[in-house]
Amino acid sequence: LQELRSSTTSGSSGSSATPAQIPDAAVSRRLPGAIIIGVRKGGTRALLEMLNLHPEVEVAKAEIHYFNLDENFRRGLDWYRAQMPLTLPGQVTVEKTPGYFTAPLAPTRMWSANPAVKLLLIVRDPAERLVSDYTQVLHNRLQQNKPYQPLVELLLHRGRINPSYKALQRSLYHHHLARWLELFPREQIHIVDGEALIQDPFPELQKAERFLELPPRITPENFYFNTTKGFYCLLTAGHDKCLDDSKGRPHAPLSNKAFQKLCKYLREPNQIFFNMVGQTFDWC
Ligand SMILES: Nc1ncnc2c1ncn2[C@@H]1O[C@H](COP(=O)(O)OS(=O)(=O)O)[C@@H](OP(=O)(O)O)[C@H]1O
């Protein structure tokens, strides 16, 4: 509590309350008002950390995997709430678990827990996302000394795109979004452009603030381009923070020919997704 009180009062929120003025009862763990549901490798960590710059946002640092993993879901809503950070009334709790987007039961479970929860979906060129997804799996397998197959062997079968490759299925955004839209109205799902967030985070954060009905507190001064990292990093109260090395890894190789086949395969699914969200993206 002391930690929350001091962080709340020393933060940039402009709050004039002193630790002694915050009653114990006001500080508690609350269910998320907003959840970043995906996409895996879309920039979910960057979005969460950037939203956390806002003084009225508190985030769950770890991925909670409540709505997608049965063993966690069985633990119940009180367990889920207990994973959340301490907040004051008026603050918004945000968690991110990219696995929610593609989990068949996640939309119904989330709707039952809180039908008013705001959803954030950060998307990225699904072909690039697939390569990033493969690169992450490859990295994990190498670390565990497990065998691995080159990407092209998983992606192509007799020279054609293999539709059962899991990382490809995760890139069929329209397919997964359709399940969310069966329950949640379109206005309750905010789409963040992952490529735009990389190029220039501030405008995407402004849009997210508006969606979350938060006063504008994040500023361009909260970001600076780190040439060593090759990405924007965060600046707040004199602290400088870049995402760790698992973000922005060099991608595993894939021939241009195979990549173009993937792009061609994704053209139609992408168009369906654009129609669904009423927005187009400059994807391959
Ligand atoms: N500012 C900043 N710094 C570092 N990385 C950034 C940033 N903004 C977006 N990204 C992109 O985030 C990609 C990882 O996405 P996720 O955090 O969603 O990955 S994960 O699903 O949680 O593993 C990661 O993808 P890869 O480049 O493929 O590793 C990054 O491109």
Side-chain angles (χ1 to χ4, degrees), residues 33-39 44 47 51 101 116-123 177 180-181 184-194 196-197 201-214 273 276-279 281:
I35 302 179
I36 302 171
I37 57 173
V39 301
T44 55
L47 179 60
L51 283 172
F101 183 55
V117 68
K118 292 183 167 150
L119 307 181
L120 292 146
L121 178 67
I122 177 162
V123 292
L177 184 63
W180 292 90
L181 287 173
F184 292 91
R186 172 69 187 85
E187 319 78 72
Q188 214 169 310
I189 309 177
H190 178 65
I191 310 287
V192 178
D193 181 338
L197 191 86
F202 178 61
E204 286 305 305
L205 266 294
Q206 276 185 305
K207 287 180 226 164
E209 272 178 335
R210 280 198 288 273
F211 170 71
L212 297 174
E213 297 172 277
L214 290 167
F273 176 75
M276 257 177 178
V277 297
Q279 201 176 333
F281 296 86

Side-chain angles (χ1 to χ4, degrees), residues 41-46 96 124 132 136 198 232 247-248 251:
K41 306 315 291 179
T44 55
R45 174 61 59 187
K96 79 109 177 167
R124 170 186 192 184
S132 177
Q136 157 133 7
I198 291 176
Y232 275 90
K247 312 294 176 183
H251 283 184

Side-chain angles (χ1 to χ4, degrees), residues 4 28 47 80 82 104 133 137 151 178 202 205 215-216 218 223 235 272 276 281:
L4 178 94
S28 65
L47 179 60
Y80 182 54
D133 193 331
V137 175
L151 174 53
F202 178 61
L205 266 294
I218 300 172
F223 307 99
L235 270 179
I272 303 172
M276 257 177 178
F281 296 86

